[in-house]
Structure formats: C-alpha cells, structure tokens
Amino acid sequence: MLRDDLHAIITGAPFDFDQVALRVFAHQYERCQPFRAFCDRRGARPDKVRWWKDVPPLPVDAFKRSKIYCGDGEPEKVFLTSGTTNGPEMRGKHHFGSMDLMREGERETFKRVLLPEVDEIRLLMLAAPPEVAPASVMVWYLATAIELFGRPGSSFFVDQGGLQLDALGAALADATAKREAVALLGTPFAFVHALDAGLRAALPPGSFVVHMGGFKGRSRELEREALHGFIRERLGVRRVVNNYSMTEVSTQFYGDEHHVPPRWAAVRILDPDTLQDVPDGQRGLIAVADLVNLDACAFIVTQDVGERRADGAFKVYGRVAGAEPRGCALAMDEFLLGVKA
Amino acid sequence: VDAVSPEEVEALCRGLQRPDPARARAVLPVVARRWLDPSDEFRRRAIAAIVETTGYAEGLVARGIDHMMTELAENLIPLVDLDLPLGWIKRPPLRCRWEAPRLVLCVFAGNVPGVPAPDIAGALCIGSRVLCKVAQHEPHFGPIFLQSIAAVDAELAKSAAAVYWPGASYDQLRVALRHAEAVIAYGSDESLAGVRQHVKPGLPFLAYGHRLSLAVVDDRVADAAPRVALDVANFDQQGCVAPHVVYVRGDARAFSAALAGELETLQGRHPRAPVTMEEAAAIRRVRDDIEFKEGAELYCSQDTAWTVVYDEVDREFRPSPLGRTVRVHPVRELDELPALVAPVRRYLQTCAFAGTVEDAERLASTLGVTRICAAGRAQYTRIAWNHDGQPRLGRLVRWVDIED
C-alpha cells in the first residue's frame, strides 16, 4: 500500500523518487475531484505524465475554495491557513485523513536535523498550546515535538494573556542552573517580542533556537542575520535554525541560509510567468513536491520567492511582493498583537 | 541615462528663451505632421527607443504615436485658439488677457510613451518655457520630440529642454522650482506627494496620479470585443485610461470568450512586454483564485500574456494586476453600475463604452468618471480632453482683468 510504502521511506527504505511521486499523483488524481479537474485542464493525466515535474503544481489558493482531500472517511484533523484579508471564510483548509505520516516525518527530520546527538531535550514553545490554537498546524507540530522529544519541563509559553514572559524567564533560569540544554521554538515575531521585552539568558551548551515562518511585514523588520545575531547575543545560543513550512504540506524544511528537503520531498523554483523551472541560482516561486502529503496534494506551488542550489537545497526570500501576507507566523503575530491590544 | 546636477538645472533654466506663442502655433503642427511620415527619422528613433526600453509592442507604439501626432497636427491649434486666444478678450464689463507662466516644469512618468508631446506643445503655444524631467523607464521620447522641433525651428527649440534626474532626488527639483511658475506632474500618488511638498502654495500644480478605468459594453454592439481587447492590450494596461474591469449588459460569458479570442489574436500580432516576477505572480494569483471559484470562469494564455476573468459572483470593481488582465462582470441594467464602482469612485477616470448615446449620457452623470470614449479608443485621448475632470492649458495661465 502506498501509505505503508511512504512510512517505510520515512524510516529509511530505499526508493525511486519519480516512481513514488507518480504513484502519489495517480492516487490523488483519482481521489480528489478539484485536483483532477485542475490537471485535466492542463492535459496532465496519470497515463500521460512521464515524470514528477510534469505534474502541474496546485496553487496554495486552491485550498481556499476547494476541498483538497484524498483521505478515507472523515478527516482526523483540519488545519486552517491564517490569511484573513478576505475574511475567515477564505482561509485555506488542510484536511488530514490521518496524522501518522506527518508525525513520522516530523520524528525523522526533527531528530536528524535538530537532535543528532541526544534523544530528548526540554522544549520551550513561544506559542499558544493546542487548546488555544487547535486550527494551527504549527502548534500541532510543536505539541508533537514535545510528545516525541520533550523532556520534563517542556511547555507552551503563550496563553490568553499573551507571552508569559515571567514563566519563560523562570524556565530558562532553571535550565541554566541545572546546566540542561533547551530548545526554544516560535515565530520570529515571538522571539523579537520576547527579546524586546527583556528576555535574556546564557543558555547551556547544546541549546538552540528554531524560528518558523517570516516577518511578513507585521513586526520589526529584522533581516535573518540580524535576527540570528540578536537571538545569539541575548540567549547565548550558538545554533539558530529556520523551519520553512506551510499549512498546505506535511513536511518541514530546516536550514540556516539554505534549506534542505528530506528524501521524500523536493523543491523546484518556477518562473511565475511560464511556470517552468528557472535555472539554479535564479529567483522564482517555490514549488514543493512533498510525497507524504498524501491526504491533500503532494504537488504545491507557493507564493514564496526562493532560489535553488544545484544540490537541491534552497534559499527562502519570503512572500512575493504584492501578495497578500499569510502563513503561520502571521497568525501568531495577530494573536500576540491581539492580546496585547 | 545620465542625471543632471542642480547646477546644470540652474544653467538650463536660465538659458531657456521665452517662446513666441504665435510662432509656436505655426511651427508645432508642421513638426507633428513630419512624425506621421513612416520614414521620419525622429519617429523611427523614438519608436525604436520606446520598444527597447519598455518592451511594448512596436505596432501599438507606432499607432499611439500616429494618434498623438495627428491630434497635435489637427486639434492643438484650434484648442489653444479657442481656450486661450492671443490678446484681449471681452467679458463684459471686463477686458481680460491671460499671462503664461514664465516656465512650466513637467515631471513625466514612464508608463505611457508619448505623453510629453501635448504638454510640451501646449506650453510652447502659450509662450511658456518648458523644462521636462523624463522618467528613468522611458527617458527617450521627450528629448527626441524636442530635437524634432529643433529640426523645423531651431529658435523655438531654445525654449524647451528635457533632462533626467532620479525621482527621489529633490535637489534638482528644488532648483527647477525656483524658476517654474507652473508644474505638471505624472506618477504614483507617492511620487506626486514627493513633488508636491516642494511646490510653493499657490503655484499651479497639475498632478496626474493613480486612476482607474473601466469598460461598459452592451452585448448588442457587434464589434465590442475586439475594441475592448485593444484597450486592454494597449501599453499592457499601464496607462490610467486602460480598463481593469468590463461590465457587460447581456451575455457576459459569451463576451468573455470573444474577448479572450481577441486578446489571443493580439498577442500574436502585438505581444505583451515581459513582466517582472512580482507582476507575473500577481497575475497567477488572480487566476488561482478564479480557477476554483463557483460562478466564475477563466480564459487565459498558458503563460501570463493575457487573462480574462469572468465572474458573476463578486462584481464590485477590483483593480487588475495589469499586464492584459481584465475582469468581466454581467449587469442586467446599467443602473447597477454606480453601486458596483462605488468603492473606487474617487479614482475613476475613463469609461470605454459600447452602447447607445443615451446610455453614455446617463453614465456621464451617474458613474463618477471624467471621460467616456468609444471602446477601442481608451488609449487615444484627445488633446482637448479635460484630463481627470479639469481643463489643462487653462489651469496653467493667470488671467488679468481690466475693469474699464
């Protein structure tokens, strides 16, 4: 079965990317009417498509107007994108028939990229817990990280009252006193907010920071490097990593300057005029082939600008100018701004 | 393009000669007629330069120049003679005469080539010196037009100059404004605000900023689709006169399909200019939204060269990302239009129209636009037009009354 094969791939089974991609395409073409119609309009049918780059990537906006769902029965979870310009009814929805593939993917990438030397760490989340933000896939990811890798003391530090700065400070002081490494995860805005509010620490070796999403014009515009410098200086950590992902997919792409896809995902950079690949080193729209995005659509084109390196790693420049800001970072920003106001 | 220094602007302003308006009125139609000759050197150079810098289709650039120069040749002098006759006029019990500004400063934008010609010609015809600041994106037409005046009358050409400095560099602007007694400026609201803050209160300041235009079509007009297609294709909608939205009384879906066919044909003959990544992404975004929408239909090229969006659900005027992207909405009655365009009413300018004269006259008072023209003529403005609702030459001059 396809789902079983994908599980095996996540845990290390050898596979042919193209072959699996075409199986996933055939599965999704069969099961998702809006995607099938989208492909048919472009003459892309499973019997005609020769390799995965022939599958037309579905624009993320499709998730706003159509149910992009290939799962069996009722979805286990439905997550919402945060675009609010056109009102809440225009938010994109990602239906998951089951969270198992995303959970296993997170287990593999989180461990391999962030925790190569230890099996668990105290995770301090500059975000609201699932009870407060059940529709956020980022929050689900954070909660799952705690479930899979969290040492005692792992917690969320945003509630209805906003960022719990005192509790967070106490947790950092406690970890420092015990010489226990910690990981802080949250949106760049949450970090800027916390550091601006005076959060400081000299965290024990092995501590690191993961920030997710971009600024998107909502908070202090700090360039990536400036943000990293700010975090390093104020928290005494050496490692600062960005997690690039989006509600519509199931995989996280970690990186500092360049992001590296896991084996089951690939990134293309497309010229928005022609939707053809631009040469490596040129800017275009980021398109993701995320093979484990089985219950939605594995082939997505985003509204983010990126640039690809010959080895498949890619740089993220953020939202294409002029497009409506959206994404998980914005939701958190709005939440924090909302509770502050 | 090389920028001039503030000192050079100072020297230029001092060096310009006052033009003889009678002479200008005699010479300029001759200049314009020369441009209508396909072998004319200045015309050929201008078209080549504009195509090179803007990427606009050569055939449409040539057509635009033909129109502009025909207007100058035929309608400029009747207009100035009518609006601003030389000498005293009677306005009982007064006698009045107008005085021209010593120098008119023109700040041009790069979106539509050829725009400088009527302003330069008009200012010379009232006896004003002209200093043109050309745009970085289209810096060629202004200087070539001045050279073509010099080729006919070297003396008259000493009254005008065209230079470039960066739009955000205000040192040159401040120097020019020490000499200018009137300003004509085109550009974004932001760049106009930048100019405005340096203009002394009371100085005539004709500012042409962001505007939005539309087309209104009665589907009983047989050739409406090719005409609207030309309005959409002309300069890739970069001009403020180009329609963003078409309202169709009758079968809007059939009109959309016909319009799409015409845009496809035009793309073959007069291809759209290359677009930036951001522009292409914005067009994709409109398409992505419509493709999955109930009650809407998408007609488009494979790349982003042209896009027709039929939408019967959300019919309020929404600005287009341009680059030959147009929305089509059905209406049962033209009386629905004022409410549909209400959100953008204060920006409305041209309505390209295909229908009866009675309907056009009704729209003139209800729609909030300042210009109604035949569909297919949106880009071909008349020199006599009241641009954005105001006379142009008339606003530059100062009237002096004598009470006898």
Side-chain angles (χ1 to χ4, degrees), chain A residues 114-189:
Chain A
L114 300 174
L115 299 177
E117 283 159 15
V118 294
D119 288 331
E120 49 176 32
I121 192 166
R122 197 197 295 201
L123 291 161
L124 310 177
M125 307 306 194
L126 279 63
E131 312 85 81
V132 177
S136 163
V137 74
M138 182 190 82
V139 166
W140 183 91
Y141 156 86
L142 296 174
T144 303
I146 291 180
E147 180 193 316
L148 297 173
F149 304 106
R151 280 178 58 82
S154 297
S155 186
F156 288 86
F157 289 89
V158 172
D159 65 9
Q160 313 285 12
L163 186 66
Q164 300 166 283
L165 209 57
D166 292 345
L168 181 60
L172 293 184
D174 179 57
T176 310
K178 292 177 179 158
R179 297 179 175 249
E180 180 191 343
V182 297
L184 288 86
L185 289 83
T187 65
F189 175 77

Side-chain angles (χ1 to χ4, degrees), chain A residues 305-318:
Chain A
V305 176
E307 183 184 307
R308 195 177 173 281
R309 210 164 58 180
D311 65 0
F314 63 104
K315 234 177 183 171
V316 181
Y317 290 102

